[in-house]
Amino acid sequence: MPKRLLISAAEPSGDLLAAELVAALRKEKDMEVAGIAGPKMRAAGVHPIGLVEDISVMGVAEVFSHLGAIKRARTLMKQAILKGADVLVVIDAPDFHMPLARFARARGIRVVGYVSPQIWAWRSGRAERIAAQLDTLLCLFRFEPELYTKVSPGFDARWVGHPVLDRVPARGRPDPHLFGLLPGSRLQELKRHLVPFLAAAALIREEDPQAVFRVVVPDTLRPKLGDLPAWVEPISTINGLVNARAALTKSGTVTLELAAMGIPMVVAHRVHPITYWLGRLLVRGVRHIALPNVLAEKEGRSLQVREFVQRFSPAQLAQAVVGLPVQQSIDLSGLGHGGAVGRVATAVTESWRG
């Protein structure tokens, strides 16, 4: 009989990680796969119990408007767990996934966590509880497993590396007039970043009238862009920036993708004011939002990219982008080396054999 895999993601980057994992597993195993699935997971053959799009929010304040959808999605996953599975894979989003992990393990289903929650940034006391609710945790960053094993000796926390190293192409010959804009893959990110990013782009064009811009947004958000200037082209994937001179981006995994491609960047990010205020109170031990800077800080290296948090003007962003070097070498050794998805697939198959 085919193996039955349940897998759940709660936001776009998790949707991509899950889709990559399912594709790798299908090369080796005959299996049934269902879960909370985004568009990439569904394209990879995951039967959608619920939709990532219904629950994908970032920030404390933003969650309140989605509580009903989040509760419904969790109920649907619990119903699927009661039908049985060989393994449950949960990707990040601990507040959504840890209750499901606990529910599954109480029914004899092994649970693999993929992506460590950011306990290095806030609520570090969660490490022991997370370890108690998972059989295995697969970490993207080199420094993360020790955060768990030092409080839960014997817990299976493994550094598998980051799939971003296999995901994006290397940079081509830079076009001095081509720039990237990456305002976000969630609607609330687009609303907060698109206007100042476009305003910064207009200022860059004042200095370089030949400048053109490609704005990277998912196809589902394309209608939300409205009427763009003729010098702005919407594209669906970051691969379309392979020849970009530089990029202006929100924070998140996309900063690692740009770094892996070798594209110089400026990072700017806004969240709901309440989320920002709470973050200032709760976040400890991390002073930066750009993941290349977080890696550098954790490993004792100098900062890698320029970043702006919450308060910034288009003029500041434009000046920072224009001032970027043509080449920006960023140390990504903390992400490991290629083949991360294969290592994750191996860990999952080991779990269901166990």
Side-chain angles (χ1 to χ4, degrees):
M1 291 183 61
K3 294 290 185 179
R4 176 170 165 78
L5 168 67
L6 291 176
I7 187 166
S8 177
E11 40 77 38
S13 62
D15 178 39
L16 177 54
L17 289 169
E20 292 171 335
L21 172 57
V22 169
L25 287 168
R26 286 196 184 281
K27 292 178 182 178
E28 305 294 334
K29 299 288 182 182
D30 179 22
M31 62 182 188
E32 299 174 356
V33 191
I36 305 298
K40 291 182 174 61
M41 293 169 69
R42 299 194 294 272
V46 178
H47 173 70
I49 295 170
L51 302 182
V52 169
E53 300 93 308
D54 292 340
I55 63 173
S56 176
V57 289
M58 177 180 287
V60 178
E62 293 85 346
V63 166
F64 287 111
S65 64
H66 288 71
L67 285 176
I70 290 169
K71 183 177 179 180
R72 286 191 296 274
R74 186 178 288 153
T75 297
L76 291 170
M77 278 298 292
K78 285 185 175 181
Q79 292 171 351
I81 288 168
L82 288 173
K83 295 178 182 178
D86 293 286
V87 65
L88 167 66
V89 176
V90 293
I91 301 178
D92 203 359
D95 291 330
F96 179 74
H97 284 134
M98 289 305 106
L100 293 176
R102 185 167 56 248
F103 187 80
R105 290 190 80 201
R107 285 148 185 84
I109 296 172
R110 296 182 66 83
V111 182
V112 176
Y114 184 17
V115 182
S116 167
Q118 294 180 350
I119 62 169
W120 35 266
W122 69 307
R123 294 167 61 194
S124 60
R126 296 176 291 168
E128 191 170 3
R129 294 194 300 275
I130 290 169
Q133 292 164 358
L134 299 173
D135 292 289
T136 300
L137 177 60
L138 307 176
C139 301
L140 304 183
F141 303 138
R142 176 166 53 197
F143 66 85
E144 291 177 320
E146 184 182 2
L147 301 176
Y148 295 90
T149 56
K150 71 180 180 182
V151 297
S152 296
F155 174 57
D156 184 15
R158 311 181 198 177
W159 177 40
V160 292
H162 205 300
V164 70
L165 297 176
D166 298 313
R167 186 182 297 162
V168 295
R171 190 187 192 195
R173 181 187 296 274
D175 178 341
H177 308 296
L178 175 61
F179 296 84
L181 301 175
L182 300 100
S185 55
R186 299 177 177 87
L187 180 57
Q188 74 259 32
E189 292 176 330
L190 193 68
K191 289 179 177 178
R192 293 199 177 99
H193 298 137
L194 183 62
V195 170
F197 281 21
L198 288 175
L203 292 174
I204 292 171
R205 272 183 63 86
E206 291 183 5
E207 292 197 28
D208 176 12
Q210 297 182 66
V212 293
F213 295 81
R214 290 178 180 166
V215 57
V216 183
V217 293
D219 289 334
T220 54
L221 290 183
R222 186 76 65 88
K224 303 296 183 180
L225 292 175
D227 294 328
L228 295 173
W231 41 268
V232 178
E233 175 191 2
I235 60 175
S236 300
T237 74
I238 198 172
N239 292 5
L241 300 182
V242 70
N243 297 112
R245 156 72 178 85
L248 174 59
T249 180
K250 63 99 178 183
S251 67
T253 303
V254 67
T255 61
L256 297 178
E257 293 176 331
L258 290 167
M261 292 174 74
I263 299 174
M265 76 186 86
V266 170
V267 179
H269 200 96
R270 283 176 176 159
V271 295
H272 190 285
I274 294 175
T275 298
Y276 179 71
W277 177 75
L278 288 172
R280 291 288 299 271
L281 292 177
L282 297 174
V283 172
R284 295 289 183 269
V286 174
R287 296 172 296 170
H288 303 283
I289 60 167
L291 287 174
N293 287 344
V294 172
L295 281 172
E297 185 177 37
K298 291 296 182 182
E299 300 192 347
R301 293 182 276 105
S302 59
L303 298 185
Q304 308 281 290
V305 302
R306 183 86 180 273
E307 60 181 44
F308 296 85
V309 183
Q310 202 68 3
R311 298 181 182 90
F312 48 80
S313 69
Q316 288 175 310
L317 300 182
Q319 184 179 29
V321 171
V322 170
L324 284 169
V326 176
Q327 305 290 338
Q328 185 179 35
S329 178
I330 294 177
D331 187 341
L332 295 179
S333 58
L335 302 185
H337 54 87
V341 175
R343 291 187 288 275
V344 175
T346 296
V348 171
T349 57
E350 287 174 353
S351 289
W352 65 40
R353 281 200 301 269

